[in-house]
Amino acid sequence: MFSSDAILGFLFISLICVGLMGNLVLFMLYIDTFLTQSCLKKPIDVIFIHLTLVNVLTILFKMMPDVMSFFGERYFLDDVGCKATLYLYRVTRGLSICTTAFLSVFQAITINPLNSKWAWLKSKLSMCIYPSFLFFWVINLLIYIHIIETVRARNNFTFAGPGYYTVHCQTSQLEHHYSMAFLNAMVIRDLFFVILMMWSSIYMVTLLYKHRQRSQHVHSLSLSPQSSPEIKATHTILLLVGCFVFFYCLNDFIAFYLFYLPKKNPEMERITAIISSCYPSLCPFVLMKNKLSKLTSFLSRMTITFSQRTFSR
């Protein structure tokens, strides 16, 4: 029989391998499109590239330290290591929220009808991408400065009392008004982007429903219309948003439960780490759903190139 630590360790390592492989393959696929098939690139591809990079950083800064605990390295990080890894993880997690919401809004405006009141935004979309990224980075870097002041290495693994804990790190007490300002800023940001995500998703579902109703009137029953690339991309983004909201809400629910738990439970903390890493690990495979032909072509070209270099030696 396998112990619970062995099972959780296997899940951790599997998620890291699957998540890193999926995100890196997707990243190379988009870069290949930009370099060799520039006629096929779209402005939204830049958002996908940013999201894959954020996912890779989230997996590295969240899961790599936690994996060490399964090999008995409980004191793997010192105070500086805890501050750095937890700060960067929270920043990349915040960037994931912002980028997913931005992706959802971007697609909602892209598929907007020309006679809609939001149609004027279409021509300005591509110019908003890089300023939006800069805004996301700045706001998340500023919000989580609080972590640098409060986080330290964990030296008591059965501490009783409320507080934020990971396998290696814990928060120290700070003045109440600083803690409240940090929590308020984080909650306001999360609520804003999650509401934006949900609003744009509902809007896209409404547009898709109207499109389907219109198609049923135009096409006969014997001719089933093929979905356009924009419609397929919209379905993918809706699925992506659904996955994000599910894992985000589940992770926050467990995190709040652990925050007020009198006695800390290491296994629950590890389960929380796994749940928080599910979205960045599964995200690339959701995005690859509509890119199987491109992925196959890219992998075959990579194989041919590798074979030619091998035989030419």
Side-chain angles (χ1 to χ4, degrees):
M1 294 294 291
F2 295 103
S3 65
S4 58
D5 278 355
I7 295 171
L8 289 174
F10 175 75
L11 286 174
F12 261 83
I13 295 171
S14 299
L15 269 178
I16 290 174
C17 295
V18 169
L20 289 178
M21 181 186 68
N23 281 289
L24 291 175
V25 168
L26 189 63
F27 176 76
M28 289 189 294
L29 184 61
Y30 282 116
I31 294 299
D32 178 69
T33 302
F34 270 74
L35 295 178
T36 63
Q37 302 172 347
S38 56
C39 58
L40 299 177
K41 66 182 181 182
K42 301 175 183 177
I44 198 171
D45 290 342
V46 178
I47 306 176
F48 287 131
I49 290 173
H50 185 258
L51 185 59
T52 56
L53 288 176
V54 167
N55 287 339
V56 168
L57 294 175
T58 302
I59 292 169
L60 290 176
F61 291 124
K62 178 59 182 175
M63 299 196 73
M64 285 300 190
D66 289 338
V67 164
M68 297 304 297
S69 66
F70 291 105
F71 297 98
E73 296 291 337
R74 284 196 167 188
Y75 301 98
F76 170 64
L77 296 173
D78 57 8
D79 286 350
V80 174
C82 275
K83 291 177 189 293
T85 55
L86 192 56
Y87 176 70
L88 291 170
Y89 161 65
R90 297 301 300 187
V91 168
T92 53
R93 185 175 183 269
L95 286 168
S96 181
I97 297 171
C98 298
T99 308
T100 306
F102 182 52
L103 180 64
S104 182
V105 172
F106 192 98
Q107 186 64 16
I109 296 172
T110 299
I111 65 171
N112 222 18
L114 294 175
N115 57 356
S116 170
K117 62 181 179 180
W118 303 106
W120 63 275
L121 287 171
K122 282 189 177 185
S123 60
K124 303 181 183 297
L125 274 179
S126 57
M127 295 184 294
C128 297
I129 295 175
Y130 293 107
S132 297
F133 289 165
L134 178 62
F135 172 72
F136 297 156
W137 276 92
V138 169
I139 193 173
N140 283 288
L141 287 170
L142 291 176
I143 285 176
Y144 291 109
I145 285 179
H146 173 86
I147 287 178
I148 298 175
E149 301 175 14
T150 60
V151 170
R152 57 188 173 85
R154 189 170 177 181
N155 50 25
N156 186 349
F157 289 86
T158 58
F159 180 80
Y164 180 79
Y165 293 81
T166 65
V167 176
H168 300 281
C169 309
Q170 66 185 56
T171 55
S172 57
Q173 294 298 321
L174 198 67
E175 290 145 1
H176 179 70
H177 63 279
Y178 284 124
S179 298
M180 290 306 298
F182 165 69
L183 287 174
N184 287 336
M186 193 169 60
V187 168
I188 289 170
R189 182 212 59 191
D190 287 0
L191 280 176
F192 174 75
F193 283 105
V194 169
I195 290 172
L196 196 64
M197 205 183 299
M198 297 305 295
W199 170 82
S200 57
S201 298
I202 293 170
Y203 184 69
M204 283 190 285
V205 169
T206 305
L207 289 178
L208 289 176
Y209 177 76
K210 290 180 179 178
H211 172 78
R212 185 175 180 181
Q213 293 289 92
R214 208 175 299 118
S215 298
Q216 287 177 348
H217 289 290
V218 173
H219 297 271
S220 65
L221 292 175
S222 60
L223 293 174
S224 177
Q226 297 257 336
S227 296
S228 67
E230 289 79 12
I231 299 300
K232 290 180 180 178
T234 304
H235 288 154
T236 300
I237 291 170
L238 286 171
L239 179 59
L240 190 70
V241 169
C243 290
F244 177 86
V245 172
F246 172 76
F247 287 117
Y248 175 81
C249 293
L250 182 60
N251 179 66
D252 277 8
F253 175 79
I254 298 175
F256 274 111
Y257 169 74
L258 290 176
F259 184 87
Y260 292 104
L261 198 65
K263 188 176 181 180
K264 302 307 171 185
N265 187 333
E267 285 191 4
M268 285 297 294
E269 291 166 7
R270 289 166 181 166
I271 291 171
T272 305
I274 290 175
I275 293 172
S276 65
S277 302
C278 282
Y279 173 74
S281 298
L282 298 177
C283 172
F285 298 98
V286 175
L287 295 177
M288 276 190 242
K289 188 167 67 76
N290 292 330
K291 294 185 176 293
L292 292 178
S293 59
K294 289 184 180 180
L295 179 62
T296 304
S297 173
F298 170 70
L299 292 176
S300 61
R301 280 190 287 112
M302 289 289 290
T303 304
I304 292 170
T305 304
F306 179 75
S307 301
Q308 288 174 343
R309 289 182 179 180
T310 303
F311 287 115
S312 63
R313 288 178 181 180

